[in-house]
Amino acid sequence: MTFFQRSRRWITAIALVLLLTVSTTACSTATTEAPAGSMVGYSQLERGNSAKGQEYGDWVVSAAQGLVSDAYVKDNNKLGVVITEEVAPNEVKELSRSLLQGFRKSFPNKDLKVLVFAPDKAPILVADYDSQSGQVEYSTP
């Protein structure tokens, strides 16, 4: 490996670390939560009750490529998703597993819950993640 190739790898690694540091800091600086006991309309809570939750809910819907029609994050530890008719019944558990993995990366070191709802908004599946044990428990409501 030449000096140029090694230098290029180091510069790429340093740039990646700086990019991740800046983007993580920018995403976590402003979280505006509704005051306890206040009445907040649904339009203000469409995707979450914090700025970070709102952003994550928006991202889930856009990244799901037509599998999720709506998503919300409540209290930065509960992710609710409404799936579309494109999701087959045998794919629901795998989809919830994928959503939980991404949710854990965005909201680390927390006990998390993913609630999956049918297109008619009937509850289908609940995935509970215990951060202490690293285990996921699935249940049907």
Side-chain angles (χ1 to χ4, degrees):
M1 190 179 298
T2 67
F3 176 74
F4 178 72
Q5 289 173 330
R6 278 186 266 152
S7 299
R8 189 174 68 187
R9 281 189 174 177
W10 277 102
I11 290 170
T12 304
I14 291 170
L16 183 60
V17 168
L18 287 173
L19 177 68
L20 290 174
T21 303
V22 169
S23 66
T24 302
T25 304
C27 288
S28 66
T29 54
T31 56
T32 57
E33 305 238 356
S38 67
M39 297 297 291
V40 180
Y42 179 76
S43 64
Q44 293 172 311
L45 298 176
E46 283 184 43
R47 301 261 190 237
N49 62 350
S50 73
K52 187 174 181 182
Q54 178 86 23
E55 290 174 18
Y56 192 77
D58 289 339
W59 178 82
V60 166
V61 172
S62 66
Q65 300 174 352
L67 298 177
V68 174
S69 63
D70 196 10
Y72 69 90
V73 176
K74 184 174 180 185
D75 302 329
N76 291 337
N77 69 346
K78 294 174 195 75
L79 171 63
V81 295
V82 178
I83 60 173
T84 64
E85 294 177 359
E86 301 293 319
V87 180
N90 62 341
E91 297 173 332
V92 172
K93 189 172 181 179
E94 185 61 36
L95 177 62
S96 70
R97 182 179 295 127
S98 296
L99 290 167
L100 190 56
Q101 287 175 343
F103 199 35
R104 282 182 12 218
K105 290 178 184 176
S106 295
F107 298 90
N109 305 321
K110 291 184 177 192
D111 292 340
L112 302 172
K113 183 177 291 218
V114 173
L115 303 107
V116 181
F117 298 91
D120 66 355
K121 300 198 175 82
I124 300 176
L125 183 71
V126 176
D128 283 304
Y129 171 72
D130 183 345
S131 63
Q132 295 282 34
S133 67
Q135 298 295 315
V136 179
E137 188 174 311
Y138 297 93
S139 61
T140 54

